[in-house]
Amino acid sequence: MLPVKTLGDEAMPMAAPPPRPRRQRGLVPEIVDTLTADVREGRLQTGDKLATESELMARFAVSRTVVREAISRLQASGQVETRHGIGTFVMAPPEQSNFRVAPEDFATVADVISLLELRISLESEAASLAAQRRDDSHLQNMAAALAAFEASIDDVSDAVPSDFQFHMEVARATGNRHFADLMTYLGTMIIPRTRLNTASSAPEGRLAYLRRVHGEHQSIYNAIRLREPEAARQAMRLHLSNSRERLRRAQPDSPA
């Protein structure tokens, strides 16, 4: 029953407070957490097909953009796999490894820079191999990740899932599963924006920052598409080195 206020001898119901708007960036983790729990608690098994986008939109009362970003995050963490034209399926959990990088290993800017140095060595070579070994399906998946990144810029998203997905597709195109396995293990933590607000704090502003990152991704993609291994290696090295230098400028005392 609503509370009542009185005006003279007349009783009038007080209006209920308007519902608090749900923020899009809070909705994505909500969907990710729910679907992850469905897998963990056995409601979804390895190989099961997820509900369609429309069904998930109805279940969570969210937009298609929110559903797609949530699925992208699940893909990036290796929990699901989307097969074009068929659907999205639950993947088997990755095998355990003695190698460990935990969230607490990304506590400072210097920690993030250290990981970027590892990525420069690893992913530059991966890009070179991808340019030699990629097939049309790899290019298709990279292009889809690029398109999702571009859409995220206009949707006021941090574009982390599509950013990670692009790097994951490059790793897969090497034809060497160890590259992709390591990327899957590290997950979206490798993207600095996951830990630091680099886009919003960039001097040129969020929009220009993300557009520059998108342009760097496109340069990598074009070199891989044209089967130019050295150009792909250099484009990836430049992209990751740029990220490192932006962080170094943000923390002058970081390692040289």
Side-chain angles (χ1 to χ4, degrees):
M1 179 178 295
L2 293 176
V4 174
K5 66 177 180 179
T6 59
L7 184 61
D9 295 330
E10 183 179 359
M12 300 177 60
M14 294 178 65
R20 296 179 63 183
R22 299 164 75 193
R23 296 183 59 191
Q24 175 169 319
R25 291 193 66 183
L27 298 176
V28 173
E30 176 186 327
I31 297 172
V32 170
D33 290 347
T34 301
L35 294 178
T36 298
D38 286 346
V39 173
R40 184 175 60 248
E41 295 167 14
R43 290 184 291 275
L44 284 172
Q45 304 283 337
T46 298
D48 284 353
K49 183 178 178 180
L50 293 190
T52 65
E53 283 186 355
S54 297
E55 290 167 340
L56 291 172
M57 288 165 61
R59 175 182 176 184
F60 294 100
V62 296
S63 69
R64 190 176 302 276
T65 297
V66 172
V67 168
R68 287 182 174 175
E69 184 157 346
I71 296 300
S72 292
R73 292 199 181 191
L74 291 169
Q75 290 172 333
S77 63
Q79 296 185 70
V80 302
E81 176 185 40
T82 296
R83 302 169 193 167
H84 294 290
I86 301 175
T88 300
F89 297 82
V90 178
M91 295 181 66
E95 295 180 5
Q96 295 299 314
S97 169
N98 291 328
F99 179 76
R100 182 175 182 270
V101 179
E104 56 267 25
D105 295 321
F106 299 91
T108 68
V109 173
D111 293 333
V112 178
I113 290 173
S114 294
L115 182 62
L116 275 169
E117 290 174 349
L118 172 65
R119 291 182 62 198
I120 288 170
S121 299
L122 176 74
E123 294 190 62
S124 296
E125 187 60 27
S128 176
L129 291 173
Q132 300 172 59
R133 301 173 180 175
R134 62 84 179 160
D135 59 27
D136 289 345
S137 68
H138 294 131
L139 291 180
Q140 203 172 48
N141 292 337
M142 287 181 218
L146 288 174
F149 188 104
E150 189 170 25
S152 294
I153 297 175
D154 296 328
D155 286 341
V156 197
S157 163
D158 59 14
V160 166
S162 50
D163 192 334
F164 177 80
Q165 196 62 38
F166 175 75
H167 286 271
M168 173 61 80
E169 296 304 338
V170 173
R172 287 174 175 153
T174 65
N176 181 333
R177 69 175 182 82
H178 298 296
F179 282 98
D181 286 350
L182 181 56
M183 292 288 286
T184 297
Y185 171 77
L186 292 172
T188 56
M189 289 189 298
I190 68 170
I191 307 299
R193 292 191 305 285
T194 307
R195 313 298 297 176
L196 306 168
N197 197 12
T198 50
S200 297
S201 61
E204 68 271 42
R206 172 192 168 277
L207 196 61
Y209 172 90
L210 290 178
R211 283 177 175 165
R212 185 170 71 246
V213 172
H214 182 56
E216 292 170 0
H217 284 169
Q218 287 181 310
S219 296
I220 298 165
Y221 169 79
N222 287 335
I224 292 173
R225 179 177 58 85
L226 294 172
R227 297 190 185 279
E228 297 179 350
E230 187 55 35
R233 179 186 286 111
Q234 292 304 320
M236 181 66 82
R237 177 173 290 277
L238 177 63
H239 169 52
L240 296 175
S241 295
N242 283 346
S243 294
R244 180 184 60 184
E245 294 312 308
R246 285 190 285 266
L247 289 173
R248 279 180 171 170
R249 287 194 295 270
Q251 178 167 306
D253 295 334
S254 61

